[in-house]
Amino acid sequence: MRAILEVVSPAATLVDALESIRSGPARAAVLLDIDGTLAPIVRHAADAHVPEATRTLLIEIAKRYRIVGCVSGRRAATARQIVAIGTIAYIGNHGGELLRPGATRPEVDPDVAAWTQRVRAFAARAYTAEHQRVRVRSEDKDAIAAFHWRGAPDEQAAAAAVHEIARLAQDEGFATHWGRKVLEVRPPVPLDKGLGIAKLLRGTPVGAALYVGDDTTDLDAFRELRALAQSEVLESVLCVAVRSDEAPPELAREADLTVDGTGGVRELLEALL
């Protein structure tokens, strides 16, 4: 039976917990969320960056393990800019894009891409001068439109304005997803991090996989990897939750292991080497 461990910080304990990944790096995948996992959460999303100490560890891990990938709600190209490593894979837009190591253009799910113009047209209509006044920030992610209110002078007023955008989006048949002080308006098609991971792993002889994440969307990655293990595509899976004041409680409940913040993730990366 899967054991749920409490917060792990001693290096020796981490090494033991990671044994299924460490023991066969040539057949292992290391998959990590970015915001809140590799990069600290910041007031403005555009200011996010991966600390150099973490980036240096990732470079070494990429040399040792069969697959290393970053999985993000951002566009894959933006995720690569934040992490600044070209030799690993990037899954962007919650599984809608896959940017393989060294590639210049992402592979985009055609069902998702078909909605790009409609999502952009909706965002242009819905984002008004009133949203700008209360400091809601819009973000164009091709087939996804995001509306952020973290750091607005009156976050309650900004959130209320964004809820009105959500109501309009649902009325027009779009899917809506709520994150950490952000609303995403999405195509009404299957779209999650687990689907992107399945595409990345398909056709590659990987026996073990590690996933590290800090938010609700990372649950889809947990569940997809466990489904792959249940169907014997993978031999072992380790799902790690990153604890923070904003992390959803269900993430820790579904994790095999919990670490504290981006510092705990850095300790975990050290233990992989």
Side-chain angles (χ1 to χ4, degrees):
M1 180 177 292
R2 180 172 59 90
I4 299 178
L5 306 182
E6 293 303 321
V7 176
V8 175
S9 56
T13 307
L14 270 175
V15 169
D16 291 341
L18 294 167
E19 178 59 25
S20 63
I21 309 298
R22 286 171 45 88
S23 61
R27 297 187 66 251
V30 177
L31 307 165
L32 307 112
D33 173 55
I34 298 176
D35 293 286
T37 299
L38 293 174
I41 295 293
V42 292
R43 184 172 183 177
H44 295 147
D47 295 332
H49 73 281
V50 175
E52 188 59 27
T54 302
R55 182 175 169 275
T56 299
L57 288 168
L58 270 180
I59 291 171
E60 292 305 310
I61 287 168
K63 295 175 182 177
R64 182 172 300 189
Y65 289 84
R66 180 62 180 263
I67 293 178
V68 175
C70 291
V71 188
S72 178
R74 297 176 185 262
R75 295 174 62 182
T78 303
R80 179 185 276 179
Q81 289 172 356
I82 293 170
V83 179
I85 301 174
T87 56
I88 64 176
Y90 295 87
I91 295 169
N93 273 353
H94 300 288
E97 297 181 345
L98 172 58
L99 186 59
R100 297 187 187 273
T104 57
R105 292 185 179 181
E107 301 166 19
V108 181
D109 184 308
D111 291 336
V112 174
W115 282 83
T116 298
Q117 294 308 315
R118 279 174 280 185
V119 170
R120 283 178 165 167
F122 169 82
R125 295 194 311 273
Y127 184 64
T128 66
E130 174 61 17
H131 295 105
Q132 295 178 51
R133 186 187 70 79
V134 297
R135 304 289 177 85
V136 172
R137 301 181 303 280
S138 66
E139 180 184 5
D140 178 1
K141 300 198 292 182
D142 285 341
I144 296 176
F147 302 91
H148 303 262
W149 69 91
R150 182 183 295 276
D154 184 343
E155 287 194 345
Q156 186 173 357
V162 172
H163 274 79
E164 179 60 20
I165 294 177
R167 184 189 66 78
L168 292 172
Q170 290 166 350
D171 287 347
E172 294 193 25
F174 296 101
T176 56
H177 176 81
W178 297 94
R180 293 186 179 185
K181 298 185 180 181
V182 60
L183 164 73
E184 290 185 339
V185 176
R186 303 177 174 184
V189 300
L191 186 64
D192 66 59
K193 291 180 176 180
L195 294 175
I197 286 172
K199 183 175 181 179
L200 173 62
L201 297 183
R202 192 174 299 132
T204 304
V206 172
L210 164 71
Y211 186 89
V212 189
D214 75 309
D215 208 349
T216 305
T217 56
D218 298 306
L219 289 168
D220 294 317
F222 285 10
R223 293 163 185 168
E224 177 63 27
L225 288 174
R226 288 184 176 134
L228 291 173
Q230 189 170 12
S231 62
E232 299 184 351
V233 174
L234 293 172
E235 297 163 12
S236 64
V237 167
L238 184 68
C239 298
V240 180
V242 182
R243 191 164 72 170
S244 72
D245 292 340
E246 295 184 1
E250 59 268 30
L251 192 72
R253 287 198 297 267
E254 292 199 25
D256 302 302
L257 188 72
T258 306
V259 297
D260 265 331
T262 54
V265 174
R266 191 155 51 246
E267 290 181 5
L268 182 146
L269 296 178
E270 290 171 347
L272 284 171
L273 293 172

